[in-house]
Each structure stands twice: as C-alpha cells, then as structure tokens.
Amino acid sequence: MKAYRGEDGRVLMFRPELNAMRMKNGAERMCMHSPSVQQFMEGVKQTVLANKRWVPPPGKGSLYLRPLLFGSGASLGVSAASEYTFVVFGSPVQNYFKEGTAALNLYVEEVVPRAYIGGTGAVKAISNYGPVLDAMRRAKARGFSDVLYLDAETKKNIEEVSAANIFLVKGNTIVTPATNGTILRGIIRESVIEIALDLGYKVEERVVPVEELKEAEEVFCTGTAAGIASVGSITFQNIRTEYKVGDGLVTQQLRSILVGIQNGSIQDTKGWVLEID
C-alpha cells in the first residue's frame, strides 16, 4: 500500500483496512495466525508516522509500505510455525507512470506452468511466483513491459498481468476478467470499478476470451504500484494490437479521479482515505 502527501501537507493512506483483510485471508489459507485488522492498522500507521518526513511532496511519489508476516521458531515438515512475526517496511518511491505518457506493451504468455491448476492471482500471492518471474524475464528480454496470462485450464481467456488486473474499454462498457479464485481481487481494481460505475459506465466482470483484445479501444492495468497504467499494445501469437493512449480518454478520466482521491485533491465521499496525524 502507499502513503501520499496531500496538497495541504497531510499524509493520507488509501484503503488500509482492505490490505489488512487481504493479509488475514492469505494467512488463513496458509494456516497462519495473523494480526487483527486493528493491530494491522496500528502497525502501518506507526510506520508511516515514523517515516513521515520521507513521504514525497504531492505529485512526486509516495511512501511504499510492504507489510510482511512470516513464521519463526523451530518447525519440521509442513507443520505450522509456533510463532509469527509481523513487520512493515517502508520506502519512498517516485511516480512509476507519468499521467498518460508511459504506456505498457504486453506479451500474451501461452505457456502456463502452474503449481496449482488456475491462474496467477491468489496462487501467485501465496507461492507461485517462480513461473511468473520466469515468464517476465523472457518477455522483457524481447522488449516487452510485462506479461498477460491466459487461464491455465483452457488457455483461451485472459486472466491478469503479472502484478496487476486488466481492463478493456469498448465504448461505454468496461470489461474485466471476473475473480474466480485464481485472479487476485485487487484493491485498486475494486476502487476503479466503483468509480467507473459512479461515472455511468457499464462494468462487466466476466470471462474475457483472448480474441476480445482486438475489439477494445483502450486497455489499462490496475495495481498498487502503478495505480492505473495505460496499455499501448498487446502482442498475441506474433500479432500486435495497438490501443488509444493519452488525454481525453476513459483511462485518463479514471486515473485522474483515483489519484485525486488518493492525494486529497478530490473529496473522499466514500471514506477510502485514512488521514495520518
């Protein structure tokens, strides 16, 4: 998650309670004891306060927070550890993407080795980073920004990018693969869907065949690091499809509203932002 410096000097965090619930859910899958939501919130808040001076000025970046939970003490086989440690690391980061200018070029990965039948999402979040990192290395060696994955079962439908959810814009309709247990239900993903619905767009969460990439006018990705990142092109089976990028588009409209809520320049009517005193 990130902490932002508002225009008035306040330090703001975006939806930290959902990050707390994500850690709790992930820990339960691994039979781990996790901190309560209240303990998690207090931990990240104290980390932000201790590093408050390192939160960049408005528009220059953010303080990136990485909460971690790991087992400690002697453990044999696959039995759960007797103790767990909760820590929060913080580091200032610059803006990864300048608004409307840095479009991603994605490569559709057709080889889908998986530790578990399914996609990259919830599985990747626990223990399946190896195949993902290998595919990313191969794609970047060929000049691509990142990898777009197909579902492991049929290899006919798109799922998500390595560390981000994906959306297709077709007129007044925004389409994104439905979260079905394998796709990570991203916090930015859910926020963007709410913003789009408020603006009057129709949002479809459903199976998205890979051929549908050719029908989209715009494509964007969402994630904690990138926020909303424009996609300039996607290459599938050596065929490159290009998309609109720049000002005046749906992607830019959604990005501006999301950033405005995060940094406090747009009124937070949904209660998404936590102010750190």
Side-chain angles (χ1 to χ4, degrees):
M1 74 189 76
K2 291 181 176 180
Y4 303 84
R5 177 83 61 183
E7 296 291 342
D8 55 2
R10 296 178 300 158
V11 176
L12 309 170
M13 291 190 65
F14 187 71
R15 312 195 78 171
E17 72 288 346
L18 292 188
N19 285 278
M21 291 303 301
R22 173 172 295 175
M23 173 168 280
K24 185 175 178 63
N25 293 338
E28 289 175 354
R29 294 186 184 193
M30 298 291 289
C31 299
M32 298 172 68
H33 297 290
S34 69
S36 67
V37 172
Q38 292 73 22
Q39 290 170 329
F40 182 100
M41 296 281 283
E42 186 62 24
V44 295
K45 182 177 180 180
Q46 291 303 320
T47 302
V48 172
L49 288 174
N51 295 276
K52 191 173 182 180
R53 68 191 180 99
W54 296 109
V55 181
K60 299 298 183 180
S62 57
L63 181 68
Y64 194 89
L65 300 170
R66 174 62 72 183
L68 295 173
L69 182 69
F70 56 91
S72 58
S75 178
L76 298 176
V78 294
S79 60
S82 56
E83 297 178 350
Y84 296 93
T85 301
F86 171 57
V87 296
V88 183
F89 292 97
S91 60
V93 294
Q94 64 181 4
N95 285 340
Y96 286 115
F97 297 93
K98 300 299 181 182
E99 292 196 38
T101 60
L104 302 175
N105 60 322
L106 303 179
Y107 170 77
V108 177
E109 177 59 66
E110 296 181 72
V111 179
V112 195
R114 291 288 180 259
Y116 173 81
I117 296 176
T120 59
V123 180
K124 179 186 67 181
I126 296 175
S127 63
N128 201 30
Y129 268 110
V132 172
L133 294 174
D134 183 56
M136 287 177 63
R137 280 192 293 267
R138 286 187 277 110
K140 290 187 176 183
R142 297 177 58 186
F144 294 98
S145 306
D146 212 326
V147 179
L148 173 60
Y149 294 91
L150 302 179
D151 72 287
E153 186 173 357
T154 70
K155 299 183 181 179
K156 295 180 179 180
N157 308 308
I158 64 171
E159 280 205 331
E160 61 180 359
V161 180
S162 299
N165 298 119
I166 188 166
F167 292 79
L168 282 60
V169 180
K170 302 193 301 181
N172 197 53
T173 300
I174 300 174
V175 180
T176 187
T179 56
N180 56 6
T182 61
I183 299 174
L184 189 63
R185 184 175 285 276
I187 292 170
I188 300 297
R189 174 191 189 275
E190 300 302 295
S191 303
V192 167
I193 288 175
E194 286 196 45
I195 293 171
L197 290 172
D198 287 345
L199 291 173
Y201 292 103
K202 179 182 178 182
V203 178
E204 297 178 356
E205 298 181 73
R206 58 172 172 81
V207 171
V208 183
V210 66
E211 291 80 10
E212 206 164 321
L213 292 173
K214 299 176 183 178
E215 303 172 6
E217 300 157 17
E218 302 172 50
V219 177
F220 62 88
C221 295
T222 63
T224 300
I228 300 179
S230 300
V231 174
S233 69
I234 298 177
T235 300
F236 175 54
Q237 295 180 340
N238 294 321
I239 298 176
R240 176 187 172 103
T241 302
E242 297 188 352
Y243 305 100
K244 297 178 182 177
V245 297
D247 296 333
L249 300 176
V250 175
T251 301
Q252 177 64 21
Q253 182 185 25
L254 295 172
R255 181 192 291 119
S256 297
I257 294 174
L258 176 69
V259 171
I261 294 174
Q262 290 173 327
N263 65 23
S265 61
I266 293 179
Q267 184 179 4
D268 174 29
T269 60
K270 296 179 178 292
W272 285 349
V273 174
L274 174 67
E275 182 176 348
I276 307 296
D277 298 319

